[in-house]
C-alpha cells in the first residue's frame, strides 16, 4: 500500500542527493557518482601501541564534504533524516568484498559508549544509531558491553598526552563472560587520532576479548 504521507513529502520536498543535490528516486538515495565518491572503504594505518590492542581499523569513507556534514548534523543537531543517506551508503558497503571479508570472523559488535548524561542529552548513541541497521543486515549482534564511567573533556585540540590522560580509566566492561575469547567489532562514528578506540580496545582485551577490530563511518586519520 502506498504511504500517502511519503508521497506528499516527496511532492513537497523532492528527494535529492546529499552531495550534488540532484533529484533522486527515493529518499536517502545518492546519485551514483556521489555515492562512489563518498563510499571509500579503507584500512587505517595504526601506530605500534594501537597495533598491540587493535587487529585492524577500517573506515567506510573519508571525513570530509557531504559525509562529514551528514555526521555532524546528525550528531550535534539531531537531524535523524540524515540516517537515510547513511543507511544507503552502508548498504552499498556491505556488498563489497573487502567489507564482507572483514566481517566474516566477527562474533558481535560493541559501540563506543557515551557518558550517560551526555547520551540522555543527545537522545542517542551515534555509533548505535549509525550502525544498528547495517549490523542487523549482516547478522552481527550489537551488545553494550562497554560503559563510560566518567565524563571526559572534548578531544578536540587536545595533545596526544592530554588525550591519554583524559581517557584513562574512563571505560569499563560489563558482562565479561560474554566477551571472553570473542572477536569483537568496535564501532564509532569517526576515527581521528584513534585514542578513544585504542583505549576501548585495551579495556576489552584486558577483560579477555579475542581480536578487536574497529570500524567507523568516516575518518581523516593520520598517524
Amino acid at each position: 500500500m502506498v504511504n500517502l504521507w511519503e508521497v506528499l513529502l516527496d511532492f513537497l520536498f523532492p528527494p535529492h542527493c546529499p552531495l550534488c543535490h540532484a533529484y533522486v528516486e527515493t529518499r536517502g538515495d545518492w546519485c551514483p557518482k556521489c555515492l562512489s565518491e563518498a563510499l571509500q572503504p579503507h584500512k587505517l594505518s595504526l601506530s605500534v601501541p594501537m597495533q598491540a590492542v587493535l587487529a585492524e581499523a577500517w573506515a567506510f569513507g573519508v571525513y570530509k564534504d557531504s559525509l562529514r556534514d551528514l555526521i555532524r548534523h546528525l550528531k550535534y543537531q539531531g537531524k535523524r533524516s540524515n540516517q537515510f543517506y547513511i543507511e544507503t551508503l552502508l548498504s552499498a558497503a556491505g556488498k563489497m568484498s573487502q567489507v564482507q571479508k572483514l566481517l566474516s570472523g566477527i562474533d558481535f559488535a560493541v559501540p563506543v559508549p557515551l557518558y550517560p548524561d551526555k547520551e540522555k542529552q543527545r537522545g542517542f548513541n551515534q555509533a548505535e544509531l549509525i550502525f544498528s541497521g547495517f549490523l542487523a543486515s549482516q547478522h552481527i549482534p550489537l551488545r553494550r558491553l562497554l560503559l563510560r564511567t566518567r565524563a571526559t573533556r572534548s578531544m578536540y585540540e587536545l595533545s596526544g598526552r592530554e588525550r591519554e590522560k583524559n581517557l584513562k580509566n574512563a571505560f569499563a566492561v560489563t558482562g565479561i563472560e560474554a566477551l571472553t575469547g570473542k572477536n569483537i567489532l568496535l564501532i564509532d562514528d569517526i576515527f581521528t587520532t584513534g585514542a578513544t578506540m585504542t583505549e576501548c580496545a585495551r579495556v576489552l582485551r584486558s577483560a579477555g576479548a579475542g581480536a578487536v577490530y574497529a570500524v567507523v563511518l568516516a575518518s581523516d586519520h593520520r598517524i
Side-chain angles (χ1 to χ4, degrees), residues 63-79:
Y63 189 62
K64 66 177 185 178
D65 301 332
S66 60
L67 197 52
R68 177 189 59 207
D69 291 343
L70 286 174
I71 295 170
R72 284 180 174 177
H73 294 163
L74 173 69
K75 187 174 178 179
Y76 299 117
Q77 299 177 17
K79 192 175 181 180

Side-chain angles (χ1 to χ4, degrees), residues 71-188:
I71 295 170
R72 284 180 174 177
H73 294 163
L74 173 69
K75 187 174 178 179
Y76 299 117
Q77 299 177 17
K79 192 175 181 180
R80 296 202 185 204
S81 59
N82 284 357
Q83 184 64 14
F84 293 118
Y85 295 116
I86 292 171
E87 287 176 353
T88 299
L89 184 143
L90 291 177
S91 177
K95 300 172 185 176
M96 304 178 80
S97 59
Q98 64 266 48
V99 175
Q100 293 176 353
K101 182 178 179 181
L102 170 67
L103 301 178
S104 62
I106 298 298
D107 292 301
F108 53 82
V110 174
V112 170
L114 296 177
Y115 190 61
D117 288 350
K118 189 169 186 178
E119 183 172 347
K120 183 178 180 180
Q121 180 184 34
R122 184 169 292 172
F124 54 83
N125 175 312
Q126 65 272 6
E128 287 186 1
L129 183 62
I130 287 170
F131 282 102
S132 58
F134 169 75
L135 293 169
S137 72
Q138 300 296 319
H139 308 290
I140 296 175
L142 178 63
R143 298 182 180 176
R144 282 195 167 203
L145 294 180
L146 276 176
L147 299 174
R148 195 178 289 248
T149 57
R150 60 178 176 82
T152 54
R153 295 169 57 194
S154 173
M155 302 286 273
Y156 183 66
E157 292 187 341
L158 292 182
S159 68
R161 183 167 302 219
E162 288 172 332
R163 288 171 185 259
E164 289 181 10
K165 184 178 180 181
N166 188 40
L167 294 170
K168 187 175 182 180
N169 300 321
F171 301 100
V173 168
T174 177
I176 292 178
E177 68 283 352
L179 60 81
T180 302
K182 301 296 185 180
N183 293 332
I184 294 172
L185 187 69
L186 190 59
I187 56 171
D188 206 358

Side-chain angles (χ1 to χ4, degrees), residues 5 25 27 29 51 56 75 106 109 115 136 160:
W5 171 248
E25 184 175 348
R27 194 164 303 279
D29 280 354
Q51 292 175 28
E56 292 181 9
K75 187 174 178 179
I106 298 298
Y115 190 61

